[in-house]
């Protein structure tokens, strides 16, 4: 009797275990329906069912992750790709899919890790190198980007035009201007209406000091896209270099219309400073501070403009704010030294601040004697024995 009871219990346990166990055939059928479905809701419903029937179904997680990624639900996609990797850790393409999702989130270091894992499992798939090269490019690891992109190029005959642009940018990052220029020419030949190739050819010329040529290419980029902010930014800097200040002002003004960033107000303020329009310069520096109240550079520049305007109290307040925010920056101490000499004729505090600037590696010593630079602040002081002794100490 006891044996019969034990046997009945054992059979009941086995039946329950069988009912609870995964049913691979049913899971596969649901997965196949999900693959065939055209409606996103149906796809998710069938993949959900496949995973419910077989919680270790790596392909179902993978495909559901793809649907989530297409929907822009990257957190859900990453969760599913991670589960797919858990149940199929030797499948290189699972790491590849997760890497693409990481790149979409701009988590490029994580993308590099997954692509490296994918390459470790399957070395001969070109797209792994392409995407890792692009991730390295985003991380500004240009030498590694060049290595991966060249490997992709050598193994892939048909490449889209954006590849030429990526490889050119990588060459530019390692200062190989000749190779970069050739890649940008290829990109322009295949995508002549894109502003990107013209912009980067302009960057090569700008970096080489050929500002007129750079301006020509930046103008071509802008002609193809009137809202292409990078071209306005570097064209404005080029105009400033050739002292075409009204054109620089116009470009910075357009740039501010497109992207009202605190750095652009500061840059336009510096052009006004060159034009000796210190009222306009001060207004731009004030706007820069309004947008970013913790940026010491703008406080220093505003302080300098106020020195020029002889707004002494405001200048001192600005420069002290800059020092408080960035005590290791040399320029505010130089300008504060100028304040103490010009306004107060206070040699002690002027020398003290000058000393603090020199201890912070202030480089332009000659400029302290030139009226066109910082020398105007120290006129009749920079010829004194105390001043010269501090400089040559």
């Amino acid at each position: 009797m006891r044996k019969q009871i034990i046997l009945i219990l054992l059979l009941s346990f086995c039946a329950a275990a069988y009912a609870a166990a995964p049913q691979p055939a049913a899971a596969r059928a649901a997965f196949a329906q999900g693959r065939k479905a055209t409606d996103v809701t149906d796809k998710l419903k069938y993949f959900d069912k496949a995973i419910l029937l077989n919680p270790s179904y790596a392909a179902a997680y993978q495909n559901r992750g793809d649907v989530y990624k297409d929907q822009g639900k990257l957190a859900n996609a990453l969760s599913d790709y991670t589960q797919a990797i858990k149940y199929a850790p030797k499948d290189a393409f699972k790491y590849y899919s997760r890497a693409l999702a990481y790149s979409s989130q701009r988590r490029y270091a994580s993308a590099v890790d997954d692509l490296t894992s994918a390459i470790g499992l399957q070395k001969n798939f070109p797209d792994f190198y392409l995407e890792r090269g692009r991730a390295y490019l985003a991380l500004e690891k240009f030498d590694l980007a060049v290595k991966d992109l060249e490997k992709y190029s050598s193994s892939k005959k048909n490449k889209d035009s954006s590849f030429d642009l990526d490889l050119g940018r990588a060459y530019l990052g390692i200062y190989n201007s000749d190779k970069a220029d050739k890649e940008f020419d290829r990109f322009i030949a295949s995508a002549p209406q894109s502003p990107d190739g013209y912009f980067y050819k302009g960057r090569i010329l700008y970096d080489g000091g050929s500002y007129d040529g750079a301006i020509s290419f930046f103008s071509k980029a802008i002609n193809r896209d009137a809202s292409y902010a990078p071209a306005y930014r570097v064209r404005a800097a080029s105009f400033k270099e050739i002292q075409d200040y009204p054109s620089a002002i116009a470009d910075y003004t357009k740039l501010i219309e497109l992207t009202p960033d605190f750095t652009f107000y500061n840059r336009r303020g510096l052009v006004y400073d060159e034009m000796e329009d210190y009222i306009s310069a001060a207004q731009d520096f004030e706007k820069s501070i309004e947008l970013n109240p913790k940026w010491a550079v703008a406080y220093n520049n505003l302080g300098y403009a106020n020195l020029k305007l002889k707004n002494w109290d405001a200048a001192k307040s600005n420069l002290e704010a800059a020092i408080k925010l960035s005590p290791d920056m040399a320029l505010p101490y130089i300008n504060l030294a100028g304040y103490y000499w010009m306004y107060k004729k206070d040699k002690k505090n002027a020398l003290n601040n000058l000393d603090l600037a020199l201890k912070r590696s202030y480089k332009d010593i000659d400029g302290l004697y030139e009226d066109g630079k910082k020398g105007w602040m120290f006129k009749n002081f920079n010829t004194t024995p105390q001043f010269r002794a501090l400089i040559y100490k």
Side-chain angles (χ1 to χ4, degrees):
M1 182 68 177
R2 185 177 178 181
K3 289 181 178 179
Q4 288 176 331
I5 293 171
I6 292 172
L7 181 60
I8 291 169
L9 290 171
L10 183 60
L11 291 172
S12 299
F13 177 80
C14 291
Y18 177 79
Q23 300 177 39
R28 286 198 299 271
F31 175 73
Q33 286 179 299
R35 290 291 300 272
K36 291 178 182 178
T38 56
D39 182 76
V40 170
T41 303
D42 288 340
K43 281 182 175 290
L44 290 174
K45 179 180 72 174
Y46 288 121
F47 292 143
D48 288 346
K49 183 178 179 181
I51 289 167
L52 182 65
L53 291 169
N54 183 359
S56 60
Y57 202 160
Y61 285 111
Q62 169 84 25
N63 280 263
R64 190 173 72 176
D66 291 342
V67 175
Y68 283 136
K69 183 174 180 290
D70 290 341
Q71 290 183 311
K73 297 179 179 178
L74 294 177
N76 290 354
L78 285 168
S79 176
D80 272 359
Y81 292 145
T82 300
Q83 288 297 103
I85 290 168
K86 176 182 176 181
Y87 295 115
K90 299 298 183 183
D91 185 341
F93 290 94
K94 302 291 189 287
Y95 294 95
Y96 177 64
S97 295
R98 190 170 69 174
L100 294 180
Y102 279 136
S103 289
S104 295
Q105 286 191 325
R106 299 185 180 182
R107 296 168 62 182
Y108 299 111
S110 296
V112 165
D113 289 342
D114 271 357
L115 290 162
T116 301
S117 296
I119 289 167
L121 292 165
Q122 187 166 330
K123 297 183 184 302
N124 297 322
F125 190 70
D127 284 11
F128 293 166
Y129 296 96
L130 171 65
E131 295 302 332
R132 191 173 68 172
R134 286 173 168 166
Y136 279 135
L137 184 60
L139 292 168
E140 298 186 354
K141 295 184 177 182
F142 299 113
D143 53 338
L144 296 173
V146 165
K147 185 177 179 181
D148 273 356
L149 294 174
E150 284 183 339
K151 187 170 182 65
Y152 172 81
S153 181
S154 66
S155 58
K156 192 85 170 180
K157 291 183 179 179
N158 298 318
K159 298 178 282 292
D160 61 52
S161 61
S162 64
F163 173 78
D164 297 319
L165 184 68
D166 291 334
L167 184 55
R169 290 172 56 212
Y171 283 135
L172 195 59
I174 61 170
Y175 307 105
N176 192 329
S177 298
D178 290 340
K179 285 190 174 182
D181 197 49
K182 290 177 182 177
E183 295 300 325
F184 297 141
D185 281 338
R186 289 192 185 97
F187 178 76
I188 289 170
S190 60
Q193 294 309 311
S194 170
D196 295 320
Y198 301 99
F199 169 73
Y200 283 107
K201 282 181 71 69
R203 275 305 305 262
I204 291 173
L205 293 170
Y206 174 82
D207 292 341
S210 299
Y211 301 115
D212 289 325
I215 288 167
S216 175
F217 276 107
F218 295 142
S219 298
K220 289 178 182 179
I222 290 166
N223 287 340
R224 283 156 179 80
D225 183 354
S227 62
Y228 193 73
Y232 286 106
R233 176 175 54 82
V234 194
R235 191 174 71 171
S238 302
F239 281 132
K240 183 173 181 286
E241 290 289 347
I242 64 172
Q243 299 182 359
D244 183 351
Y245 299 130
S247 295
I249 291 293
D251 272 359
Y252 280 129
T253 300
K254 179 63 177 180
L255 192 58
I256 288 167
E257 290 174 8
L258 293 170
T259 311
D261 186 87
F262 67 95
T263 61
F264 300 150
Y265 280 101
N266 182 70
R267 291 179 184 181
R268 189 174 69 177
L270 291 172
V271 180
Y272 280 127
D273 183 270
E274 293 284 349
M275 297 171 71
E276 299 185 0
D277 181 354
Y278 301 113
I279 292 175
S280 296
Q283 289 171 345
D284 270 358
F285 298 139
E286 286 170 351
K287 185 63 177 179
S288 181
I289 290 167
E290 179 185 325
L291 293 172
N292 185 357
K294 295 186 177 180
W295 196 36
V297 169
Y299 283 99
N300 173 71
N301 291 340
L302 179 57
Y304 185 79
N306 276 319
L307 287 177
K308 285 286 191 177
L309 293 168
K310 298 184 179 180
N311 294 332
W312 305 114
D313 291 341
K316 182 173 184 285
S317 176
N318 301 147
L319 296 168
E320 287 176 342
I323 288 168
K324 184 176 180 180
L325 288 166
S326 185
D328 292 328
M329 188 165 67
L331 269 176
Y333 294 100
I334 288 287
N335 293 330
L336 198 55
Y339 159 83
Y340 278 113
W341 172 248
M342 286 191 299
Y343 181 46
K344 298 285 189 179
K345 292 296 183 280
D346 181 345
K347 288 185 179 181
K348 181 179 179 181
N349 275 310
L351 289 169
N352 181 55
N353 279 280
L354 184 59
D355 184 46
L356 290 170
L358 296 172
K359 287 177 178 175
R360 284 156 178 78
S361 301
Y362 182 74
K363 301 296 185 185
D364 189 15
I365 303 301
D366 291 341
L368 298 176
Y369 297 92
E370 298 175 18
D371 286 346
K373 294 186 177 180
K374 295 294 185 183
W376 68 274
M377 293 193 294
F378 303 107
K379 198 166 186 178
N380 300 324
F381 182 37
N382 53 17
T383 57
T384 63
Q386 301 99 314
F387 190 98
R388 291 181 177 276
L390 180 62
I391 294 299
Y392 294 109
K393 184 173 61 175

